[in-house]
Amino acid sequence: MKGKDPAKFIKDGLSKALVFYYPLAGRLIEGLNKKHMVNCNSEGIMFIEADANIELDKLGDSIKPPCPFLDLLLHNVPSCDGIIGCPLLLVQIVNHTMMDGYGFKMFLNALIELIQGASTPSILPVWQRDLLSARSSPSITCTHHEFDEKIESKIAWESMKDKLIQQSFFFGNTEMEVIKNSVPSNYGCTKFELLAALLWKCRTIALDLHPEEIVRLTYPINIRGKSLKNELPPSYYGNAFVTPSAVSKAGLLCSNPLTYAVELIKKVKDNINEEYIKSVIDLMVIKGRPELTKSWNFIVSDKKYVGFDEFDFGWGNPIFGGIPKATSFISVCVPIKNDKGEKGISIAINLPPLAMKKFQEVVYKMTLENMEGVNII
């Protein structure tokens, strides 16, 4: 691919990929109870070719969230700050309303195959959104703390939004081993559960909340492969996840061992079954697609294994592939290499300045005080 125009090849590939992923060429409209629908009006996606007058070495020794010069590198489309009526796909941006990380990975794989000469994608996409339709008589049968909202707490967090600063933290094998040593040796949990519990606890301590304040950890869980009555086909590329919340009083979370938080996270995960999924879908219809709570909520998404850093369009693997920054109270785990070339997880956190300083101190004290220091990048 040396010497060939990347924009031309990607544009040609997109024109072929959209034959199979045709809904992305339409626009979202809103129906009853804020239900999103795709108007397949063939308006098409937006494709913008740009030249960046920035050398890679100006971005630092390693590229990681929060990515520098992001506002300069991303094109701001006028009147496209929302969702309704906006293009569903810019080459730089995908509207999350249409697909999740798994679905976007399918789309990018198809695009690469078509750019490289294939006539059809190796996996044909399935649109069947009716597989996740509400029941004929919608009924909320489970508890959904992710949609609880305490007005006072929401206002308190939103009042901080303009004062937030962002810092990234790196957790490699050494850091994760130290964290793992803080729980019993035979304790069964995933690395993500352990890391999410640690971040949730440290963040709550840093915010210095009243002990009786309710705090939440919300994290997306993929429902593909779950034992559903109408199981989703592997080639389904729409959003297929739920976002349950672990809930605790701030005082209990801060004062108990790390296993307390891990158990809350594991319990929520274990309760994800078909009834819970149906209840979420029905809730969207009954309550008109409510937003996730902002009441001292911390949303953590695990994107370590999606593979955005492995897509090769013909010019080699990207230097960085993943979510470029944290947004408000949402953080994402992405795979990166640190300045020493070590593979690990980077996660960006948003907090007010004083809380950020305390967060760094707490992370160091709880997990890494026996090392040279916490790897802050």
Side-chain angles (χ1 to χ4, degrees):
M1 302 296 282
K2 186 178 180 180
K4 296 183 179 180
D5 182 6
K8 180 182 183 300
F9 274 83
I10 292 173
K11 186 176 182 179
D12 290 346
L14 282 168
S15 67
K16 297 173 183 176
L18 288 171
V19 173
F20 303 95
Y21 290 85
Y22 63 90
L24 292 177
R27 296 292 185 270
L28 281 183
I29 58 176
E30 205 168 61
L32 293 175
N33 290 330
K34 297 184 179 180
K35 181 175 177 61
H36 282 152
M37 297 176 287
V38 179
N39 179 14
C40 293
N41 56 10
S42 300
E43 284 193 40
I45 71 167
M46 293 196 69
F47 185 92
I48 302 162
E49 182 178 353
D51 293 312
N53 189 24
I54 299 174
E55 297 177 355
L56 281 177
D57 59 6
K58 292 182 180 179
L59 302 181
D61 295 330
S62 64
I63 300 176
K64 69 274 181 179
C67 293
F69 305 108
L70 189 62
D71 292 338
L72 297 177
L73 293 172
L74 289 180
H75 178 70
N76 182 28
V77 181
S79 303
C80 284
D81 294 333
I83 293 177
I84 303 300
C86 300
L88 295 175
L89 175 67
L90 280 76
V91 173
Q92 292 180 316
I93 305 169
V94 175
N95 194 323
H96 205 331
T97 307
M98 291 295 291
M99 57 177 67
D100 54 17
Y102 180 93
F104 189 44
K105 180 178 181 178
M106 278 183 55
F107 176 76
L108 289 179
N109 279 329
L111 177 58
I112 289 171
E113 291 171 345
L114 294 168
I115 287 175
Q116 295 176 349
S119 57
T120 60
S122 57
I123 300 176
L124 292 176
V126 170
W127 174 253
Q128 296 172 262
R129 297 304 200 270
D130 55 293
L131 293 175
L132 295 177
S133 294
R135 291 173 282 204
S136 56
S137 298
S139 176
I140 302 172
T141 54
C142 299
T143 301
H144 299 284
H145 291 300
E146 61 270 34
F147 299 109
D148 292 344
E149 192 69 284
K150 185 179 178 183
I151 299 300
E152 296 84 356
S153 301
K154 176 184 177 181
I155 293 173
W157 172 256
E158 290 189 333
S159 68
M160 298 179 180
K161 286 179 67 174
D162 295 334
K163 305 171 185 175
L164 301 178
I165 61 173
Q166 188 161 151
Q167 182 72 60
S168 285
F169 296 82
F170 176 81
F171 296 89
N173 290 333
T174 303
E175 288 83 1
M176 290 305 302
E177 192 62 31
V178 173
I179 298 170
K180 186 178 178 181
N181 289 339
S182 66
V183 299
S185 58
N186 60 347
Y187 190 70
C189 64
T190 67
K191 286 184 179 180
F192 175 73
E193 290 165 349
L194 195 60
L195 181 57
L198 173 84
L199 295 171
W200 185 28
K201 179 173 182 175
C202 292
R203 181 178 182 274
T204 305
I205 293 172
L207 286 169
D208 196 24
L209 303 177
H210 189 280
E212 294 297 309
E213 187 70 73
I214 299 298
V215 293
R216 294 169 179 79
L217 176 80
T218 301
Y219 57 106
I221 295 179
N222 187 358
I223 63 173
R224 292 177 177 84
K226 298 288 184 183
S227 55
L228 305 175
K229 184 178 180 181
N230 297 314
E231 191 166 334
L232 294 174
S235 51
Y236 180 84
Y237 67 96
N239 284 307
F241 63 88
V242 290
T243 50
S245 290
V247 178
S248 174
K249 288 185 177 180
L252 291 174
L253 178 64
C254 296
S255 61
N256 273 293
L258 190 60
T259 50
Y260 170 82
V262 176
E263 284 300 315
L264 291 176
I265 294 170
K266 289 173 62 177
K267 182 179 179 181
V268 166
K269 183 178 177 180
D270 291 342
N271 287 336
I272 302 303
N273 52 28
E274 181 165 9
E275 185 59 34
Y276 181 90
I277 294 167
K278 289 294 185 183
S279 180
V280 171
I281 296 171
D282 289 354
L283 181 146
M284 291 294 165
V285 173
I286 294 170
K287 295 194 174 184
R289 194 167 48 80
E291 294 183 353
L292 291 171
T293 177
K294 295 181 176 67
S295 300
W296 298 125
N297 195 2
F298 180 39
I299 301 177
V300 185
S301 181
D302 185 8
K303 292 290 185 286
K304 298 193 302 296
Y305 304 112
V306 175
F308 289 142
D309 57 336
E310 299 171 356
F311 289 114
D312 184 355
F313 289 87
W315 290 269
N317 287 348
I319 294 175
F320 171 82
I323 309 301
K325 63 178 182 177
T327 306
S328 187
F329 53 92
I330 305 172
S331 295
V332 182
C333 298
V334 295
I336 68 161
K337 291 182 180 179
N338 65 6
D339 298 344
K340 300 176 183 177
E342 179 189 1
K343 290 184 178 180
I345 300 165
S346 175
I347 185 159
I349 303 285
N350 272 327
L351 284 170
L354 291 178
M356 181 64 76
K357 184 175 185 297
K358 188 169 183 179
F359 180 84
Q360 295 177 16
E361 293 170 353
V362 174
V363 170
Y364 177 80
K365 183 178 180 180
M366 287 184 61
T367 63
L368 303 170
E369 61 184 350
N370 295 322
M371 298 172 58
E372 293 181 2
V374 61
N375 284 289
I376 302 175
I377 59 176

